[in-house]
């Protein structure tokens, strides 16, 4: 296969991701390479990348940050941004603990936007990562996200099925589920969503 889902990363991978995000977002809203590396050193379960094996570069990414209840409420009230989370305030996963999940970023290299398999692999990587954490007795009470672009807002509302809750001072939209039950039910449906997406674009593995 041309692509591979990866959960362990090096400095060059994070550089690839920063340049991917820069094509979509204002640099001031993107975590620096140094900051992301510090995140990864403290909690290496937060990044899901897709690599183009032929060109040996990262072409798609998802970043998932665990939040405390206080951090979740601050984010939803627009008093905490993901870039303000540092290595001291980033949580580490511990068995038998509950967390809130921030769907902090998802981006695909613009040259690969039309290669639908990249998004399919990212979503599979997301689903597998959440289940691997659940298998370690780590659970999630809710998930939230910020939609900065029209595409990001559409993805949050349609595919992630998140509910619009608030605006940031910049005019971006904030989303979450209403409760844990909605999140758990969506996670159960996710494999069907991915299967439907694959069938729509004739993606086969």
């Amino acid at each position: 296969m041309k692509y591979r889902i990866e959960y362990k990363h090096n400095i060059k991978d994070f550089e690839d991701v920063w340049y991917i995000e820069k094509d979509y977002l204002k640099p001031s809203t993107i975590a620096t390479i140094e900051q992301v590396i510090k995140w990864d050193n403290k909690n290496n379960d937060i990044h899901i990348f897709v690599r183009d094996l032929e060109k040996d570069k990262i072409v798609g990414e998802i970043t998932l940050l665990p939040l405390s209840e206080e951090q979740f409420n601050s984010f939803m009230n627009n008093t905490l941004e993901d870039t303000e989370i540092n290595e001291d305030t980033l949580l580490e996963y511990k068995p038998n603990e509950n967390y809130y999940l921030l769907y902090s970023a998802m981006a695909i290299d613009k040259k690969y936007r039309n290669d639908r398999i990249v998004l399919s692999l990212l979503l599979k990587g997301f689903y597998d990562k959440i289940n691997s954490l659940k298998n370690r007795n780590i659970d999630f009470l809710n998930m939230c996200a910020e939609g900065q672009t029209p595409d990001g807002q559409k993805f949050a509302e349609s595919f992630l099925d998140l509910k619009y809750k608030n605006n940031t001072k910049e005019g971006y939209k904030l989303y979450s589920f209403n409760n844990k039950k909605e999140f758990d039910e969506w996670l159960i449906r996710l494999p069907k969503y991915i299967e439907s997406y694959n069938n729509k674009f004739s993606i086969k593995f």
Side-chain angles (χ1 to χ4, degrees):
M1 182 183 287
K2 180 180 178 181
Y3 301 111
R4 181 175 66 205
I5 304 169
E6 295 186 353
Y7 302 100
K8 306 299 179 185
H9 321 293
N10 58 47
I11 294 175
K12 171 63 166 55
D13 297 341
F14 293 118
E15 292 173 349
D16 290 344
V17 167
W18 191 88
Y19 283 103
I20 291 172
E21 292 188 356
K22 184 174 70 70
D23 280 341
Y24 296 95
L25 307 172
K26 294 180 180 179
S28 61
T29 69
I30 305 172
T32 65
I33 296 168
E34 293 78 12
Q35 180 179 9
V36 174
I37 290 172
K38 289 178 180 179
W39 284 351
D40 193 69
N41 286 338
K42 184 170 183 181
N43 185 337
N44 60 12
D45 283 307
I46 64 176
H47 295 110
I48 302 155
F49 292 170
V50 170
R51 181 182 300 278
D52 181 332
L53 296 172
E54 295 175 2
K55 296 188 176 180
D56 192 26
K57 69 173 187 175
I58 301 303
V59 298
E61 62 96 10
I62 291 176
T63 300
L64 303 168
L65 300 179
L67 303 179
S68 66
E69 182 176 12
E70 180 181 1
Q71 288 173 321
F72 172 80
N73 289 332
S74 295
F75 181 81
M76 295 307 300
N77 289 325
N78 193 28
T79 57
L80 174 70
E81 297 181 9
D82 55 356
T83 54
E84 295 174 331
I85 298 173
N86 58 37
E87 65 270 27
D88 295 322
T89 56
L90 177 69
L91 301 180
E92 296 178 86
Y93 287 123
K94 297 179 181 179
N96 304 312
E97 294 287 341
N98 296 326
Y99 300 87
Y100 294 80
L101 195 63
L102 171 56
Y103 201 105
S104 175
M106 188 187 81
I108 295 173
D109 188 315
K110 285 191 172 181
K111 295 177 182 177
Y112 293 77
R113 286 276 306 252
N114 294 326
D115 197 342
R116 307 289 184 172
I117 194 172
V118 177
L119 177 56
S120 176
L121 288 171
L122 281 174
L123 294 172
K124 181 181 185 303
F126 167 81
Y127 179 75
D128 290 347
K129 171 57 69 176
I130 295 301
N131 277 300
S132 73
L133 292 168
K134 284 178 170 288
N135 288 336
R136 288 157 50 187
N137 293 319
I138 295 163
D139 203 3
F140 299 95
L141 300 174
N142 205 333
M143 183 170 74
C144 58
E146 177 180 288
Q148 294 188 19
T149 66
D151 282 347
Q153 293 165 8
K154 181 180 179 181
F155 183 79
E157 294 168 7
S158 59
F159 203 96
L160 297 182
D161 203 23
L162 293 169
K163 310 302 186 288
Y164 164 73
K165 297 293 185 178
N166 200 359
N167 282 343
T168 70
K169 55 183 178 293
E170 298 85 3
Y172 306 141
K173 293 185 176 182
L174 297 176
Y175 301 90
S176 74
F177 290 106
N178 288 320
N179 49 51
K180 175 175 170 52
K181 182 174 182 289
E182 280 191 359
F183 179 37
D184 290 343
E185 290 174 347
W186 173 81
L187 194 63
I188 291 171
R189 296 194 303 269
L190 182 55
K192 287 294 184 182
Y193 287 171
I194 299 172
E195 181 182 0
S196 296
Y197 180 86
N198 290 345
N199 290 337
K200 180 178 180 180
F201 294 105
S202 301
I203 297 172
K204 296 181 180 179
F205 297 100

